[in-house]
Amino acid sequence: MRLDRIRMGGALIAAAAIMFAGAEQASAQVSMTGAWTLEVTTDNGVTMPKLTLEQDGMTLTGHYSSETLGENDVTGTVEGNDVVVSFIASIEGVGEASIIYVGTVDDEGVWSGTLDILDGQLTGTFTAKKDM
């Protein structure tokens, strides 16, 4: 009987630890809602597109605007500090192209990572900051 109580107490402590760990991880989720200015570097040069995002849990929706890729609706995901945003753009001479931004938000709120256009045919890096 005493051994059963000890086992039950251990199980309750383990369950509580798992619940608190999950709560801590959920609170660490970054907020991407807002207007962002990106600095994008590819072999074609540097551009400064704008991105506006709305976040619902882990899901992102929004709008991307640049001279190079035009106006596009975006979707994405957030998991902790890891963020992925993608869209389909119409590129002159190419047609429709998939655009994917993959990066991490640091402690200062700067999102940085890599850019993939046309399944790796053009790649680059980016840094993004929220507009104040």
Side-chain angles (χ1 to χ4, degrees):
M1 181 83 135
R2 185 169 194 275
L3 184 57
D4 287 338
R5 286 185 184 167
I6 292 171
R7 286 184 183 149
M8 178 62 88
L12 290 173
I13 290 170
I18 290 170
M19 285 175 32
F20 284 117
E24 182 179 318
Q25 190 175 40
S27 69
Q29 177 123 324
V30 68
S31 172
M32 294 298 290
T33 296
W36 295 78
T37 298
L38 292 79
E39 181 175 314
V40 177
T41 304
T42 68
D43 289 342
N44 294 339
V46 177
T47 59
M48 302 291 288
K50 300 286 187 177
L51 178 64
T52 304
L53 294 172
E54 292 290 328
Q55 183 173 340
D56 182 12
M58 294 175 59
T59 302
L60 297 172
T61 56
H63 189 78
Y64 181 94
S65 177
S66 80
E67 290 182 20
T68 308
L69 298 175
E71 304 289 325
N72 299 281
D73 290 330
V74 303
T75 59
T77 59
V78 178
E79 188 169 337
N81 287 1
D82 298 326
V83 180
V84 176
V85 171
S86 64
F87 58 95
I88 302 294
S90 180
I91 299 176
E92 189 175 325
V94 175
E96 289 191 342
S98 62
I99 316 295
I100 304 171
Y101 284 86
V102 178
T104 303
V105 179
D106 68 17
D107 292 339
E108 281 85 45
V110 177
W111 177 35
S112 60
T114 58
L115 166 68
D116 183 303
I117 301 175
L118 284 168
D119 298 320
Q121 291 183 37
L122 179 62
T123 60
T125 60
F126 73 93
T127 301
K129 294 181 183 177
K130 273 190 185 180
D131 298 342
M132 294 298 159

